[in-house]
Amino acid sequence: MSDDIRRNMALFPIGIVMKLTDLTARQIRYYEQNELIQPARTEGKQRLFSFNDVDRLLEIKALIEKGLNIAGIKQVLQMQEPAVAPSEITVTSEAKRKELSEKDLHQLLKQQIMYRNASRYGEDALIRGELSRFFH
DNA sequence: GTTCTAACA
DNA sequence: TGTTAGTA
């Protein structure tokens, strides 16, 4: 698993990331403010992005083009990273179920659908694409 | 020349 | 989101 550290190595400045992602510096910085990405910083406070950061930005870009807002992208992204087990996203007891609001139930439903798809096809952008319609 | 933050004729 | 100002 040493490939992971390579993908997370902070390598390129914002200028290169702009060309790699076709995003403006403004957008990249804006997404960072909204915690969609967390690039490293040099001593001089300049951002340094890793391959993972670039991949993440490409995903964000795809979702933006699908018409999602920051809030929607956050949710889609959060369901990716934490490879939550089914038990964690399943409503366990009746008591617990009663405490959930309608909004929570929808959120839970989306997570479960996402997990099933991820289990069958393994991870992929297509899954996000399908799921994105829930966040319009 | 590049990047950063803050702000808006 | 664009863009500009003043820096580092």
Side-chain angles (χ1 to χ4, degrees), chain A residues 34 36 68-78 107 135:
Chain A
N34 286 280
L36 265 38
L68 300 218
N69 54 36
I70 279 69
I73 295 176
K74 262 188 191 176
Q75 297 180 55
V76 175
L77 254 37
Q78 286 185 350
Q107 172 65 21
F135 302 102

Side-chain angles (χ1 to χ4, degrees), chain A residues 57-74:
Chain A
L57 283 170
L58 288 173
E59 294 172 4
I60 293 170
K61 181 191 167 195
L63 292 172
I64 284 291
E65 293 174 336
K66 285 251 176 191
L68 300 218
N69 54 36
I70 279 69
I73 295 176
K74 262 188 191 176

Side-chain angles (χ1 to χ4, degrees), chain A residues 43-55:
Chain A
E43 294 179 16
K45 288 198 170 183
Q46 291 197 189
R47 274 165 270 251
L48 284 184
F49 303 78
S50 66
F51 281 102
N52 280 334
D53 289 326
V54 175
D55 281 348

Side-chain angles (χ1 to χ4, degrees), chain A residues 101-112:
Chain A
S101 67
E102 286 295 298
K103 182 180 178 183
D104 291 330
L105 286 175
H106 278 293
Q107 172 65 21
L108 224 50
L109 210 55
K110 283 180 281 190
Q111 290 184 317
Q112 298 186 325

Side-chain angles (χ1 to χ4, degrees), chain A residues 26-43:
Chain A
R26 177 78 164 84
Q27 289 177 298
I28 296 172
R29 294 178 184 129
Y30 180 67
Y31 301 151
E32 181 191 25
Q33 275 184 33
N34 286 280
E35 302 175 279
L36 265 38
I37 53 172
Q38 37 259 230
R41 294 282 187 138
T42 66
E43 294 179 16

Side-chain angles (χ1 to χ4, degrees), chain A residues 116-135:
Chain A
R116 286 200 214 98
N117 288 330
S119 297
R120 288 181 195 145
Y121 314 115
E123 66 204 16
D124 197 60
L126 285 179
I127 298 173
R128 294 167 216 134
E130 286 301 310
L131 215 77
S132 68
R133 80 182 91 168
F134 289 112
F135 302 102

